[in-house]
């Protein structure tokens, strides 16, 4: 990640299960909040913290509780965030796909989003890092499409011949769940 982007995460706040409204303290905008039950040994906690950080770094909105603010399907920055949370090549591929799928689910993904995220996981990490570093402003811009990101990696665009299928065998989600998860699509994140 370019040096200029490292400052975007303001802080990490830890909260308990009791909220004191009399203090009128809220975490600063664009902060990560973890609960008192967060455990670094629990994979879900680690993925959630990494997902929050990646969300902030690429400029997507934070999700509070069970609220889903907008969809980012087809946006390059969603796939960049998915790769960031799954970039640890020391982790087994299944865990990397789980991490990527977890952040994708926050933003109303299509099967093509999972396919491209899984394809990026299978590329050498140094190649992905190099492309992202060189094109950071472009790949994190809301207007940049997944097809444009695929093109930077020499991959076919979503919906064209040769575009990969998601790894449904390894994915945390099934095709049916992704296709039917939402009753109606969320408005597009800007």
């Amino acid at each position: 990640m370019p040096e200029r982007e490292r400052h975007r995460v303001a802080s990490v706040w830890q909260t308990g299960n009791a909220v004191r409204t009399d203090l009128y303290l809220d975490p600063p905008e664009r902060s990560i909040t973890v609960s008192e039950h967060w455990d670094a040994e629990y994979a879900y906690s680690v993925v959630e913290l990494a997902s929050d950080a990646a969300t902030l770094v690429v400029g997507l909105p934070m999700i509070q509780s069970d609220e889903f603010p907008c969809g980012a399907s087809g946006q390059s920055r969603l796939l960049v965030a998915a790769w960031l949370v799954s970039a640890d090549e020391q982790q087994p591929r299944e865990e990397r796909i789980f991490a990527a799928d977890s952040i994708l689910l926050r933003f109303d993904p299509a099967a093509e989003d999972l396919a491209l995220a899984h394809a990026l996981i299978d590329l050498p990490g140094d190649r992905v890092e190099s492309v992202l570093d060189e094109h950071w402003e472009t790949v994190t811009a809301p207007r940049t499409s997944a097809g444009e990101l695929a093109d930077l990696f020499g991959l076919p665009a979503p919906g064209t011949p040769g575009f990969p299928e998601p790894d449904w065998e390894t994915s945390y989600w099934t095709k049916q769940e992704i296709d039917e998860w939402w009753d109606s699509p969320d408005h597009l994140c800007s």
Side-chain angles (χ1 to χ4, degrees):
M1 164 179 14
E3 192 65 37
R4 65 189 171 276
E5 295 298 323
R6 295 179 199 268
H7 70 279
R8 293 184 77 173
V9 176
S11 62
V12 176
W13 283 56
Q14 185 168 13
T15 63
N17 58 1
V19 176
R20 295 213 30 212
T21 57
D22 61 317
L23 295 177
Y24 298 106
L25 291 175
D26 290 323
E29 186 177 334
R30 300 187 57 74
S31 295
I32 297 169
T33 304
V34 295
S35 75
E36 64 187 13
H37 303 290
W38 188 82
D39 182 352
E41 299 297 318
Y42 184 47
Y44 180 79
S45 295
V46 174
V47 167
E48 283 298 300
L49 181 64
S51 294
D52 284 351
T55 295
L56 291 175
V57 167
V58 302
L60 286 165
M62 292 296 292
I63 295 174
Q64 304 301 323
S65 304
D66 291 331
E67 175 185 320
F68 294 92
C70 57
S73 181
Q75 290 187 2
S76 171
R77 64 184 176 163
L78 176 59
L79 299 163
V80 170
W83 184 81
L84 288 172
V85 300
S86 63
D88 183 358
E89 293 179 299
Q90 301 302 312
Q91 294 293 320
R93 184 174 184 273
E94 294 79 17
E95 289 179 27
R96 294 178 70 197
I97 287 181
F98 170 78
D101 289 0
S102 293
I103 194 169
L104 290 169
L105 183 65
R106 293 178 173 199
F107 296 98
D108 201 12
E112 291 83 9
D113 298 313
L114 273 74
L116 190 49
H118 298 169
L120 292 176
I121 288 170
D122 291 336
L123 293 174
D126 56 350
R127 178 175 174 216
V128 177
E129 287 175 26
S130 175
V131 169
L132 295 183
D133 190 44
E134 183 177 344
H135 301 280
W136 185 256
E137 295 299 323
T138 301
V139 300
T140 59
R143 69 186 177 284
T144 305
S145 72
E148 292 170 280
L149 181 68
D151 189 53
L152 290 173
F153 289 99
L155 299 170
T160 64
F163 184 73
E165 284 290 317
D167 182 351
W168 294 118
E169 296 259 332
T170 308
S171 180
Y172 190 77
W173 313 107
T174 66
K175 180 171 178 22
Q176 182 177 359
E177 286 172 325
I178 292 299
D179 290 343
E180 298 175 358
W181 192 270
W182 310 106
D183 292 334
S184 60
D186 294 322
H187 70 279
L188 199 59
C189 298
S190 57

